[in-house]
Amino acid sequence: MTMALDAMNEASDEALLELYAQGDPAAARALTLRFGPLAYRLAYRYLRDAAEAEDVAQEGLLRLWKIAPEWRAGEAKVSTWLYRVVANLTTDRLRKRRGVGLDEAPEVADDRASALDELIARDRVAALEAALEQLPERQRIAVTLRHIDGLSNPEIAAAMETGVEAVESLTARGKRALSKLLRGQREKLGFGDD
């Protein structure tokens, strides 16, 4: 049974996964359109390499397709499950990379206009990313999932395989640490005096 495209857009993640498990290719396409960009953004945020992020996003979706026939609705949200898989795949790739020196890292080309506002915005993003990199890994993941990706604390807890209280603690400690790390840079980043 194939659903119309409009119905696919309105269907729940679990319903689409069930349809895919029954062989509906339109459901696979709808899930890919729904979750592919999210998986890619999460992977890219940590890997900073478009090709690797694309590989990780595809691998995450492939694992979703493989698990579809055994999916038990109500145990976990599809999005949370996929975030956890992509985060784990990304962590694995980062661990393999640790031996790569800074000089060997690929340079990222920036094709955007060089207007002053864009330069300031880029400096702000760079400062935030540099500060995030200084956080312990679990704090960095919790803060990013909460404040950049917009996940709820229960979704983050499921993705990180921990409790909601631990997520609240990780994000609170991470935000305090970020505030300290960025405190002396307000004027430089165009926010005025400290």
Side-chain angles (χ1 to χ4, degrees):
M1 167 178 139
T2 301
M3 294 176 87
L5 185 57
D6 288 341
M8 290 283 181
N9 291 335
E10 310 245 340
S12 72
D13 302 338
E14 289 78 12
L16 288 174
L17 196 57
E18 184 177 326
L19 285 169
Y20 169 76
Q22 296 170 9
D24 189 337
R29 187 169 65 204
L31 282 167
T32 300
L33 291 172
R34 190 175 289 181
F35 291 119
L38 297 172
Y40 173 83
R41 282 195 306 269
L42 177 63
Y44 184 79
R45 182 170 296 113
Y46 295 106
L47 297 171
R48 293 288 175 222
D49 180 284
E52 268 196 296
E54 197 171 300
D55 288 347
V56 166
Q58 288 176 1
E59 177 65 24
L61 289 171
L62 284 173
R63 290 186 183 192
L64 182 61
W65 304 151
K66 287 178 186 175
I67 194 74
E70 290 91 36
W71 186 264
R72 291 186 297 266
E75 285 188 17
K77 289 176 66 175
V78 175
S79 59
T80 303
W81 184 91
L82 185 61
Y83 268 109
R84 183 172 53 228
V85 168
V86 170
N88 289 340
L89 290 168
T90 301
T91 300
D92 290 345
R93 288 202 182 216
L94 288 172
R95 284 184 182 136
K96 289 178 186 175
R97 260 199 215 168
R98 286 203 173 129
V100 175
L102 186 57
D103 293 337
E104 298 159 7
E107 294 207 20
V108 179
D110 187 4
D111 298 331
R112 294 182 289 179
S114 60
L116 179 60
D117 287 342
E118 189 167 323
L119 289 173
I120 291 171
R122 208 172 338 151
D123 285 347
R124 289 175 179 172
V125 169
L128 178 60
E129 288 175 354
L132 281 168
E133 286 300 315
Q134 294 181 53
L135 295 180
E137 183 178 7
R138 291 181 57 79
Q139 284 181 20
R140 180 176 61 249
I141 291 171
V143 168
T144 302
L145 291 176
R146 180 72 181 112
H147 296 288
I148 296 176
D149 292 331
L151 268 64
S152 68
N153 287 345
E155 289 172 321
I156 298 167
M160 294 181 69
E161 297 176 325
T162 190
V164 172
E165 296 81 14
V167 169
E168 291 169 353
S169 176
L170 287 166
T171 54
R173 288 191 324 245
K175 285 171 49 178
R176 280 193 303 271
L178 283 174
S179 179
K180 284 181 184 177
L181 290 166
L182 295 169
R183 186 173 294 141
Q185 300 182 47
R186 289 185 54 82
E187 186 174 347
K188 175 183 151 198
L189 297 173
F191 289 115
D193 296 333
D194 282 324

